[in-house]
Amino acid sequence: MARRPRIDPPGVTQHVIQRGNDRQPCFFRDIDRMRYLQDLHTLSIERECRVHAYVLMTNHVHLLMTPAESGAISGLMQALGRRYVRYINDAYERTGTLWEGRYKSHLVANDEHLLRCYRYIELNPVRAGMVQRPADYPWSSYRHNAFGVANPALQAHVCYVALGACEAQRQTAYRELVQQVSDEDTASFRDHLYRQQPMGNDRFRAAIEAQLGRNLAPGKSGRPRKAGPAR
């Protein structure tokens, strides 16, 4: 079956997930995560993609980014993948691929869905049972968004800025928001990632369809969906 073309309009935030090949680890030591974040920061500047939230799990990553131009996120992910695979292969004297095919992504509207996406990403380690609180996990954007810990890789989204008149108010409001998570929220994000469909209201979908000149209604899948955790 032919690949679906990416939905990649400029200025619209995307939630991106990339997995390790066959769900195998893509990070082995803390220094690997540091290297990934350094490359992400460098490339986000070069490709003009603002990074709002992220989490680096053992065998996959989630990123929330807004591109200035169409194709910017795709270019960033390709360059980041090549750099990181080269680093891992050299560091661990291995060969071959590291990532599981193409990354998946979906668009996110600039409304309550956007902040829910922040929350979904940063709660990954809690859902996985790795930590009890998101602040206990050092390899996500939560400490920056919730407590203001310096992180040069991140730029606040306008929806996050609207949480308060100053940084302290925004951080307090965001911590409260993270505590309001629901199982329905988790299921919704997993479904949108699987289908790679825009997340937002009908007006958001219609605006994207008009911009792209094509219908974005989900088609019928050619094979049944595999069961298993998506996180």
Side-chain angles (χ1 to χ4, degrees):
M1 184 172 64
R3 289 177 173 176
R4 295 178 182 176
R6 291 204 181 276
I7 307 171
D8 190 23
V12 181
T13 304
Q14 295 186 37
H15 175 199
V16 172
I17 181 172
Q18 188 164 35
R19 296 191 178 281
N21 189 43
D22 199 26
R23 296 183 183 265
Q24 294 300 306
C26 45
F27 301 104
F28 304 95
R29 297 180 296 170
D30 286 351
I31 193 173
D32 302 337
R33 294 174 174 86
M34 292 173 61
R35 174 58 181 263
Y36 185 94
L37 290 176
Q38 289 171 357
D39 286 344
L40 173 63
H41 182 208
T42 299
L43 289 167
S44 70
I45 295 172
E46 291 179 2
R47 304 282 175 161
E48 296 187 81
C49 294
R50 291 178 291 136
V51 180
H52 311 299
Y54 68 82
V55 66
L56 310 186
M57 302 295 283
T58 304
N59 63 1
H60 67 284
V61 302
H62 286 267
L63 305 170
L64 186 65
M65 298 184 285
T66 302
E69 301 291 341
S70 179
I73 287 181
S74 178
L76 181 151
M77 294 302 295
Q78 290 176 11
L80 180 59
R82 286 194 297 267
R83 286 191 187 190
Y84 186 69
V85 170
R86 185 163 56 244
Y87 157 77
I88 287 292
N89 286 350
D90 289 346
Y92 297 98
E93 298 182 347
R94 65 185 296 279
T95 59
T97 187
L98 183 69
W99 304 110
E100 184 179 76
R102 304 170 81 206
Y103 69 87
K104 290 187 176 181
S105 65
H106 68 91
L107 305 182
V108 187
N110 287 359
D111 54 21
E112 71 275 7
H113 295 90
L114 198 289
L115 292 174
R116 285 168 53 203
C117 194
Y118 266 77
R119 180 175 64 189
Y120 172 80
I121 289 172
E122 294 175 351
L123 283 175
N124 253 257
V126 177
R127 287 194 300 273
M130 300 171 72
V131 294
Q132 292 186 337
R133 301 173 302 174
D136 295 334
Y137 192 73
W139 303 108
S140 84
S141 50
Y142 180 79
R143 293 180 180 180
H144 173 81
N145 292 321
F147 296 102
V149 175
N151 190 328
L154 295 169
Q155 297 185 55
H157 193 279
V158 292
C159 290
Y160 176 89
V161 174
L163 285 173
C166 65
E167 290 186 1
Q169 290 181 4
R170 293 166 198 150
Q171 291 158 17
T172 299
Y174 185 69
R175 291 195 300 271
E176 293 173 355
L177 176 73
V178 170
Q179 295 175 358
Q180 300 168 13
V181 69
S182 69
D183 291 339
E184 289 184 9
D185 209 38
T186 301
S188 178
F189 275 100
R190 290 177 177 176
D191 185 64
H192 280 80
L193 272 172
Y194 172 75
R195 297 181 181 277
Q196 301 191 68
Q197 289 292 312
M199 174 173 268
N201 57 29
D202 291 341
R203 184 169 56 184
F204 173 68
R205 180 185 292 274
I208 296 299
E209 289 179 338
Q211 186 174 355
L212 298 178
R214 59 189 174 96
N215 188 289
L216 299 178
K220 294 182 179 180
S221 178
R223 61 181 62 181
R225 181 178 179 178
K226 293 182 180 179
R231 298 202 186 97

